[in-house]
Amino acid sequence: MPQDAAFATTATHWGTYRSEVRDGRLVGLHPFELDGDPSPIARSVPPTLDGPLRIRGPMVRRSWLARRERAGGEGRGGEPFVEVGWDTALDLVAGELARVRETFGSRAIYAGSYGWASAGRFHHAQSQMRRFLNLGGGYTRSVNAYSYAAAQVIVPRVIGDPRGLLDDHTQWPAIAEGRGLVVMFGGMPMKNAQVHSGGVSRHTVREGLEQCKAAGVEFVLVGPLRSDAADFLGAEWLTPLPNTDAAIMLGLAHTLVAEGLHDRAFLDRYAEGFDRFLPYLMGTADGQPKDAEWAAAICGLPADTIRGLARRMAAKRTMISVGWSVQRGDHGEQPYWLAITLAAMLGQIGLAGGGFGFGYADMNGQGNPVRAFPWPSLPQGINPVKDFIPVARIADMLLNPGAAFDFDGGRFAYPDIRMVYWVGGNPFHHHQDLNRLVRAWQRPETVVVHEQFWNPLARHADIVLPATTPFERNDLSCAGNDGHLVAMHRAIAPVGGARNDHDAFADLADRLGLRDAFTEGRTEMDWVRHLYAVARQRGARLDIDFPEFDAFWEKGWFALPAVERPHILMADFRADPVAARLPTPSGRIEIHSAAIESFGYDDCPGHPVWLEPAEWLGGAGAARHPLHLISNQPDRKLHSQYDHGPYCREAKVAGREALWINPADAASRGIATGDLVRVFNDRGACLAGAVVTDAVMPRVLQLPTGSWFDPAEPGVPGSLDRHGNPNVLTLDKPTSKLAQAPVAMTCLVEVERWEGPAPAVGIFDPPVIEQV
Ligand SMILES: Nc1nc2c(c(=O)[nH]1)N[C@H]1C(S)=C(S)[C@@H](COP(=O)(O)OP(=O)(O)OC[C@H]3O[C@@H](n4cnc5c(=O)[nH]c(N)nc54)[C@H](O)[C@@H]3O)O[C@H]1N2
Ligand SMILES: Nc1nc2c(c(=O)[nH]1)N[C@H]1C(S)=C(S)[C@@H](COP(=O)(O)OP(=O)(O)OC[C@H]3O[C@@H](n4cnc5c(=O)[nH]c(N)nc54)[C@H](O)[C@@H]3O)O[C@H]1N2
Ligand SMILES: [Mo]
């Protein structure tokens, strides 16, 4: 649509668009002219911006307004709100910050505030919050991401840094050039490639994969869902039991050694400790060879399939691709360590189409053939508080103040949290075992949240400040791993009483005597121009010529020059392992890690192993809860964002999140497509709408994340979730003492038809609001 260029650009995590505004309302987000594969997720945005679920003014929980910190947390999530003016609300927040800091110190404020917020460098909610809190004394923070927290610890232990996990992937054209085999543990789900943190200008995964396919690359999908591989790949589909990838990889590794197919010379030159791993692999250490038969008994694939795959991998140029989901399970460090080990055994690391890569298609940017660029961000200052938690230990921290925890070789203690500050994330979306979180969330004295919509987080706050959306402010998007800078033009005025997070923090800073330190005297557009100027300066140092700001702003985007040669992960190390030594203790790939061994962890020893997950289909728990729940990323939204929009709501089944169930499992329970069902285990229960399909393997269910948590009795832990949020079922346990990462993919459940009247979904009705 050429006339779209008349509209100004804006950016979201799922794409760049041009905003059509009529009579002061956003009426359309039109796909960006450079994007050949735009995402329809944006359809949900325009009608919701000024809809009934928008938070229109600052709100305070009724009993908190009456009794402040003495109100107690039990009513959180279940009480009406009272609308107050901005001045009153900001006085309350500033007063609480001062009280908590004076009485308990800044470490009693938890502002880990994990979450994706919105695209945009300046208005990035967490950056704004951290900059403000750091000026006033700091806060207890969180480290690592729900996405890949296990990998963020194990990958740097094995290869020295997170390359191949977060960036630096072998790029699509180089995989095509290998003309070999891609083995995809956890798939390459096209639904996930719609998004990239920070924004997307061009969706490139489809063209990258098509290029590989056209070059003759073969694909094998290892995972429970056929939909994790695009149909056009024609991938072979192997369906092991979920969470058994480490056992399969050991079976593959054993076959390579047993048949003399491993590359001894590569291991000698580039890897450390293969000989420490070998006795475990071959069974001389414990009497149990980890051969294909052993692996088959665990994962359910035939031993011949495992052996055949190992031979194919050795015969061809092979890329071992592992999705981030695979480490989001109990002992999630192990399949990642083993994937690198297997790749080293194949000896193809650093060659086109060989080696390993984590997270291909899990977002748009991995493997995208663009050059890396040091985009600017809002400076956050320095946090004087040293306390932290691994991000998924939030309920543990709130429930166990003072308790000790292990993390990556260190031993730390949970601070005693009195106040929680959350912006730009939704723990009632992202955390596991939400009933446990509801209980833990009652502990702090005060919870402050900035939100745009009346989602479950806003409803579980004491003070809610209404935040603008990106369509109500000016910003820059450095479209993640994408080679583009996009101008985010304000399209409409702030809705109701919503304000930018920045402006709320500036006024709070004012109350603490810190306004100038916080704003540096700059307006919003001054900041946008300033960040652009930083990018332009950095560009000049790299011989990249950015236009003047005004020209950029009017055009709406700037593209970095194209790459000359597609990147290959660790090609430099392969070429010269001395000059390009890895930043590990040995300088090489650590198949055995003396450091990890020295920690003495029973759940993560000194070399990779198979460890039985806390819940899986081969374990004892399967007798009572015989189905493995896959709670993966939703196709029609980003996490919980815009779940209340039409594009999401029209795809609900029986008004709830769709639950995929295999025909065999459905038949034995009398379940048909469209039925209302109850999914349950000992931690909780939710309703969902059944979809019977053989795209999910037997004994496995798919219930994607993102449907807003909707307890039948709000605020009461353990009540039925009426809407299909899988996190009332998932397990809140760390992967290991090493990474303390979340294990959302480790979860057994049972399902039954819901008989009797269907409770209405309540979360799409705004809460009760009283006027003062
Ligand atoms: N069971 C299960 N659980 C999972 C996962 C799983 O695989 N299975 N995956 C996990 C993963 S990988 C992740 S990354 C997390 C994602 O979890 P989150 O990132 O916490 O989820 P979002 O819904 O994106 O939350 C962002 C929130 O920020 C708000 N917001 C957006 N822009 C702004 C802004 O400018 N200002 C303010 N104040 N607020 C804003 C939105 O309204 C929304 O409520 O979920 C995790 N949870
Ligand atoms: N549309 C959309 N895209 C997104 C997001 C979103 O919310 N919506 N979220 C983004 C974020 S924050 C992240 S971190 C990425 C996450 O990217 P991923 O981690 O890849 O995401 P998932 O969809 O959770 O998992 C992908 C598939 O892994 C398979 N799987 C699960 N457990 C196992 C296992 O034990 N073994 C094997 N072999 N396979 C398994 C499941 O079949 C699942 O469909 O997605 C990003 N992309
Ligand atoms: Mo994530």
Side-chain angles (χ1 to χ4, degrees), residues 256 261-267 270 317 341-351 354-355 574:
L256 294 181
L261 299 173
H262 62 310
D263 187 337
R264 212 46 254 201
F266 184 92
L267 289 165
Y270 297 97
R317 185 63 62 77
T341 300
L342 255 184
M345 292 172 70
L346 291 173
Q348 302 174 3
I349 291 172
L351 298 179
R574 184 181 190 96

Side-chain angles (χ1 to χ4, degrees), residues 58-61 64-66 68-69 82 84-99 419 446 448 462-465 508 511:
M59 306 279 170
V60 184
R61 175 163 71 96
W64 198 95
L65 190 61
R68 304 289 158 89
E69 76 274 11
V82 183
V84 300
W86 268 100
D87 278 340
T88 307
L90 292 171
D91 287 345
L92 290 172
V93 176
E96 266 307 277
L97 285 168
R99 181 191 70 82
M419 179 172 184
T446 302
V448 180
D462 298 324
I463 305 175
V464 185
L465 302 182
L508 285 170
R511 284 165 169 75

Side-chain angles (χ1 to χ4, degrees), residues 191-192 222 228 243 245 325 328 362 632-634 637 639:
K191 67 178 174 58
N192 291 12
V222 185
D228 287 333
N243 290 194
D245 303 85
S325 63
R328 218 176 297 123
D362 291 354
N632 53 359
Q633 313 293 328
K637 55 187 164 265
H639 313 133

